[in-house]
Amino acid sequence: MNYIRSVVLFFFFFCPAACLAQVPIVTLGPAVEEPLDGWDKLMQLKNGNTCWLHFSKKEGLRVSVYDPKRELIATDSVVSSLWNSTDIESTEIDGIYEINGQPVVFLQQLVKYIPVFFRLVLDPQSGKLIREDRLGELPSVQHRSVYVQENLATHDCYVEKDPNSDYYAVAFFNGTEIQRNDSVRERIRVLHFSPSHELIHTGFYYLSDSSYSYFSYIHMSVQGKEKVYMGTVGFNTKRKGSEPWSKVIFSALSPDSATFAHRELDYTANYGDVSGYLQYVPLRDEVRMLLNVPGQRSDGSSGIFMNTLLASGKLRKHIQLSFPELSRNAQINLGYKDEPYKGAPQRVLMEPDGKCTLLMETLTRFKQGNNQINKLHTNMGDVGIALLDTAGREDETLAVTKYQSITGVCEPFYQHRRAKSEWVFRNKIAALNTNTYLSYDYVRIPNASFVLFNDYLQYLDTGGQDKVKKPLKYINDANFVCYRFYNGKMERLFLFGNPEVTKGYYCMMGAADYDSAKRIYATVMISRKGTEKKACVAWVQF
């Protein structure tokens, strides 16, 4: 089925409105050459424009702007006097947000082994650079790594924006060994900014009793101009008497304090390999902190904990989530036997009242080949989605079979990092740079839900009658599929046309941006006809 706008106009006159609302309508922008390397990100701005940011070794940062009519109105290459755009291999993107109506890019670059953090502000009409700032730096990366009980000390920069406002915070997080000229009390600092990029507060993170010497970053959340919250793991290389090796610490920075206040979560004693997500819930004046702890799965449990904390920092309650309905769904629809669904959390979609949607994906790591750089791989498997009430119980679940393989290690909460455009140029082999095409996206509208991903379609395989499901490894084999869940049924749609052996369509999941208010999903679509490939922006109206 083809849902291109020009095709569906005829459909308007013969389809009831209720049914039409469930049919995605696609609008395509002008065709351009396929991006072969780097990172791409689309931004649907509040003024109706769409910005396409393309980072590459050849061009640095190129910005293309489309107006509300989906016409290209401006293209510009960003020339910076602070950030060296020609050294993209030393650059890491830490976040891309719309702030005060403007695209803002946060990135760090290694300058003589020193991570330096920059902020670039772009014009929403022309894409030109209108402001750039050097916000700070971390000590040299030439230091000894500290890894104990599956806890790795963090040495990195982070940025998070309040989803309910344009306030944001930048963390310079040095949780590793203190160097000779470094201050223990200033090793970790957080800068709190207003929507106009004014620094309104600086806070320092340290434990007054020095109970832990090293820290691993989990996540950070901003509550407007009021507070900044942070989750970390504090740990030591040597155990102090009967004290645990490690604990998760919830911390809050108030505007009247220069330091974070801390609350250790005692039940997390000796936890390792912890990842997570924090978000302030305004209607309940609470903070939700989701923790993923793989080491707590040994008894068949999920290893996923939902913590509810008061804004004061007090732990109100914590529960280990369970997914009996999702597991039953996987048994019925995906052919699971008696085993539960064991996906890792990839993203949390939090609602203002504390309900949330948890997006999960099965991740299986393995080694293959002798290349020291590219021998680690991850199979990104079945989709599991759970809509949870305020108590963390399942209201609704979705399960979709999927099989993709990525070069490298995929960590939990990958979709959250992808949505904010955390990216670093790692793989110099373009054919293996498939990260932006893998995993999936989820769209929910009244009365319907959609799961979107690139898939390897077995029936297009010309190699014979092999019935064993094959993973999507190479993007040339991909086709973009959309699974619609409506009235208790699941239907597979091809939004850009039916794929064939010599013709197909696939999308950059990493470039996508969803405007939930307008229900428009924007992505970069690659069309493949024989050996010819073209790219364009695709806007999908749900």
Side-chain angles (χ1 to χ4, degrees), residues 146 254 338 384:
V146 181
S254 301
D338 296 327

Side-chain angles (χ1 to χ4, degrees), residues 41-45 347 349 419 441-446 448-450 452 509 511-523 539-542:
K41 180 62 180 176
L42 297 179
M43 304 179 70
Q44 298 189 78
L45 304 178
R347 194 177 182 188
L349 305 176
D441 269 328
Y442 169 75
V443 172
R444 182 176 177 85
I445 65 173
S449 297
F450 301 84
L452 318 168
M509 314 300 294
D513 182 37
Y514 180 60
D515 186 332
S516 59
K518 298 178 181 177
R519 292 174 15 190
I520 297 177
Y521 178 86
T523 186
W539 292 268
V540 184
Q541 175 74 65
F542 286 97

